[in-house]
Amino acid sequence: MYKPSKRSFLILAGGAGAGAMALTFAPRLLTAKTSPTSFDNSFVVPPLAQGQRQGKKIQFMLNLQQSEHHFFPDKLTPTLGVNGSYLGPVIRVNRGDEVGLQVNNQCGEPSVLHWHGLKLPAVMDGGPHQSRPSGSSWAAEFTIRQAASTCWYHSHQHRQTGPQVYRGLAGLFMIDDEVSQTLDLPSEYGVDDIPLIVQDRDFNADGSFQYVNGMPEIMHGKHGNTVLVNGVITPTLNAQRSLLRLRLINASNARIYNFAFSDNRPFHVIASDGGFLPQVASVRHLVLSPAERAEILLDVSDRQPVILKSLAGAIGGGMMGRMMGNMGFDQTMEILKINPSQAEASTHPIPIVLPQPELLNVKTAEISRPMLLNMSMGMMQQHSSSGSSSMFINGQSFDMNRVDFEVERDTPEIWTIMNASPIAHPFHIHNAQFQILDRNGKQVASHETGLKDTVLVNSGETVRLLMMFQHYSDSKHAYMYHCHNLEHEDQGMMGQFTVV
Ligand code: C2O
Ligand code: CU
Ligand code: CU
């Protein structure tokens, strides 16, 4: 069914010849710029989706389409978009809303949109089972039962999630609630409350996207040398206020960012994937792996321009870190310039007292599930030629027809994620906002003490997660859990469970 990706995998495998190890770690050509980043492009605020509201009911229409987009003034890039040429509009709803999402697939290939971070019935989840062929549609309908947070949506097409997200099938899903609306926080959308959808891409000379073209890019996931913010290459944001609330979304296929500012100034993390943190976490850098989100407050009252960067060294250093650095998977990158010279003084204070997240009030659970992440290092040779995959959870690759386990509704569970592979994996669970109990037995940093749906598990690390599945059960339809490195997901580092 998914011949294209399998075939290209085999072609690559054919070239492996003299040993997969050597080839896997072969340095690739870097096209990194030699001149400093110019930040010539204007910042774009992602448009809000226009929903049709009737009381608590709100209905959105999302058209998946093939398009072309100007990332460069003189070149057009073939893309996929949702109601537009690249990415999609921001779906913004309130807790308690009954949301309807009509997804019309006109993108020329089978696809589906998944509502990442949302708690919802399995059949509304937009996982690979809800895929529709081009020319048909799918309607999701569910009630928002969770706290204010910055979630997102993206393609979850079986074995095509990586390429479809890369070409543009993603957008934001923002939830507000009564608490978030009364907090003394910057909250004027696009003025002092600004989403930053961060993605990295490679482009061919003709302007087209360059997706995976070698084994390192399958093993490590697709990394690009050009950074997009809200679909614009390294833009300049002219800040209108002296205090900014930035909603950082790592919507990249595989790159792990270590966000920091050019003058190393501190900033204040107020929210993680599932909503507000128990308390503000003041930091000078922040690691976000694919699919992770954070809301930060940035003080620009000095009116000095500052650059949002990603520092190298996010992924653990050591031999593997050096190799990945050499391959361009862990280099310093400039992302966005913020120019606050015309910013008005903000009326909002920092620090602020945050509302308490709805954490489970147990510290332990009867049910415990080990999740061993592994990958085959000789993957490109033996395994792919026999048609099987090279990325595993508990020794198995994803199978659409195998439900890995059943979960009991309203019962706390601890999942123990163990990374036995040489590289880091962002582990994501559908229909969940979990708490991180510990990393290698140690307490986590304060920015990780809130609700999360994705957690970075470094090589050799064991991370324990506490969660409970509420509200919905369905013995027939499954939810996914997987690595959110999209190339790893497409290669099978995924499983599925039902809630009964
Ligand atoms: Cu963000 Cu299963 O996905
Ligand atoms: Cu998800
Ligand atoms: Cu992975």
Side-chain angles (χ1 to χ4, degrees):
M1 206 171 143
Y2 296 95
K3 293 253 165 55
S5 68
K6 209 163 243 174
R7 192 175 41 216
S8 50
F9 202 42
L10 282 175
I11 291 167
L12 293 167
M21 250 337 248
L23 191 66
T24 298
F25 297 132
R28 63 177 192 153
L29 277 182
L30 275 183
T31 52
K33 301 169 216 74
T34 45
S35 55
T37 312
S38 59
F39 299 106
D40 289 336
N41 295 319
S42 304
F43 186 82
V44 166
V45 177
L48 292 169
Q50 294 306 314
Q52 301 280 71
R53 186 178 276 284
Q54 263 191 314
K56 294 249 162 220
K57 280 199 194 324
I58 183 160
Q59 179 73 34
F60 295 94
M61 184 82 93
L62 299 170
N63 299 319
L64 313 190
Q65 56 198 56
Q66 283 177 321
S67 191
E68 292 178 314
H69 187 80
H70 268 299
F71 294 100
F72 304 95
D74 53 338
K75 281 169 199 156
L76 272 171
T77 305
T79 52
L80 298 178
V82 182
N83 299 357
S85 59
Y86 183 76
L87 298 177
V90 179
I91 296 165
R92 189 159 192 184
V93 298
N94 301 319
R95 188 174 195 162
D97 279 351
E98 295 159 34
V99 180
L101 299 142
Q102 165 88 22
V103 180
N104 301 318
N105 181 4
Q106 291 146 1
C107 79
E109 54 197 89
S111 193
V112 60
L113 289 183
H114 162 61
W115 324 108
H116 179 123
L118 276 287
K119 295 186 176 181
L120 68 194
V123 71
M124 303 299 172
D125 187 39
H129 297 281
Q130 282 90 47
S131 169
R132 292 292 183 277
S134 188
S136 60
S137 21
W138 172 62
E141 223 180 270
F142 52 89
T143 300
I144 305 293
R145 296 183 190 274
Q146 63 199 94
S149 47
T150 308
C151 295
W152 64 304
Y153 61 90
H154 59 78
S155 159
H156 217 301
Q157 179 61 30
H158 182 49
R159 283 189 167 267
Q160 296 295 322
T161 298
Q164 290 192 355
V165 171
Y166 198 77
R167 285 149 73 199
L169 292 187
L172 292 189
F173 201 121
M174 284 168 48
I175 300 172
D176 300 302
D177 63 21
E178 279 167 12
V179 183
S180 71
Q181 281 157 346
T182 58
L183 286 174
D184 196 359
L185 275 176
S187 49
E188 239 187 287
Y189 185 75
V191 176
D192 60 6
D193 180 358
I194 301 168
L196 305 178
I197 305 170
V198 181
Q199 301 178 300
D200 59 332
R201 296 291 183 266
D202 278 331
F203 292 92
N204 296 309
D206 63 358
S208 60
F209 282 133
Q210 190 185 99
Y211 189 54
V212 291
N213 67 359
M215 255 169 277
E217 289 191 324
I218 295 173
M219 178 175 159
H220 291 279
K222 175 63 192 174
H223 290 65
N225 287 310
T226 302
V227 186
L228 308 178
V229 179
N230 302 340
V232 179
I233 296 173
T234 50
T236 294
L237 166 66
N238 291 313
Q240 298 177 57
R241 298 286 188 278
S242 64
L243 182 67
L244 301 175
R245 174 189 194 173
L246 302 174
R247 300 183 190 235
L248 285 165
I249 299 96
N250 182 352
S252 303
N253 280 36
R255 183 176 293 277
I256 299 165
Y257 297 86
N258 186 8
F259 291 109
F261 291 91
S262 46
D263 58 0
N264 197 35
R265 72 178 64 188
F267 53 97
H268 313 281
V269 188
I270 58 170
S272 56
D273 306 340
F276 292 113
L277 295 175
Q279 70 275 316
V280 177
S282 295
V283 298
R284 287 176 197 272
H285 66 100
L286 178 68
V287 173
L288 288 186
S289 65
E292 286 188 292
R293 290 89 67 203
E295 293 182 31
I296 66 169
L297 295 179
L298 180 70
D299 184 351
V300 292
S301 58
D302 64 357
R303 308 296 193 284
Q304 294 303 308
V306 64
I307 292 168
L308 173 65
K309 306 168 64 157
S310 177
L311 306 176
I315 38 187
M319 184 191 73
M320 204 61 198
R322 279 197 301 282
M323 261 180 211
M324 292 178 72
N326 291 339
M327 289 185 287
F329 298 145
D330 185 26
Q331 80 264 42
T332 303
M333 297 183 100
E334 298 193 309
I335 297 168
L336 169 78
K337 182 173 179 177
I338 299 174
N339 175 7
S341 60
Q342 307 295 317
E344 280 171 35
S346 176
T347 58
H348 301 286
I350 36 169
I352 76 150
V353 177
L354 298 172
Q356 286 311 292
E358 291 154 26
L359 304 176
L360 291 180
N361 64 49
V362 292
K363 279 276 157 286
T364 180
E366 306 247 300
I367 314 286
S368 127
R369 296 184 196 280
M371 297 280 160
L372 182 68
L373 311 183
N374 218 334
M375 53 209 287
S376 152
M377 299 294 286
M379 64 194 248
M380 311 309 161
Q381 293 178 310
Q382 306 87 344
H383 292 277
S384 58
S385 51
S386 64
S388 67
S389 267
S390 50
M391 308 265 179
F392 313 103
I393 301 178
N394 293 336
Q396 287 192 292
S397 276
F398 182 64
D399 179 345
M400 282 276 263
N401 301 312
R402 181 192 73 236
V403 171
D404 295 86
F405 52 88
E406 274 181 358
V407 159
E408 228 174 281
R409 204 184 73 173
D410 298 327
T411 308
E413 303 215 341
I414 291 173
W415 292 23
T416 303
I417 324 299
M418 295 164 285
N419 182 352
S421 82
I423 62 174
H425 302 281
F427 190 84
H428 169 54
I429 307 171
H430 286 211
N431 187 40
Q433 289 295 342
F434 51 73
Q435 292 156 242
I436 309 175
L437 290 178
D438 44 41
R439 285 184 175 274
N440 282 343
K442 294 199 199 78
Q443 242 193 331
V444 295
S446 56
H447 69 268
E448 285 197 321
T449 54
L451 293 170
K452 300 273 299 160
D453 54 55
T454 308
V455 61
L456 181 61
V457 186
N458 287 298
S459 176
E461 218 170 24
T462 295
V463 178
R464 292 194 315 139
L465 312 175
L466 175 67
M467 72 205 79
M468 183 162 78
F469 299 89
Q470 293 161 292
H471 309 303
Y472 307 107
S473 54
D474 181 338
S475 58
K476 284 209 272 300
H477 298 95
Y479 299 102
M480 306 295 130
Y481 57 95
H482 57 91
C483 176
H484 220 287
N485 177 315
L486 299 181
E487 284 64 49
H488 293 180
E489 175 189 335
D490 282 344
Q491 288 303 325
M493 195 177 273
M494 177 155 72
Q496 48 187 340
F497 64 99
T498 52
V499 179
V500 296

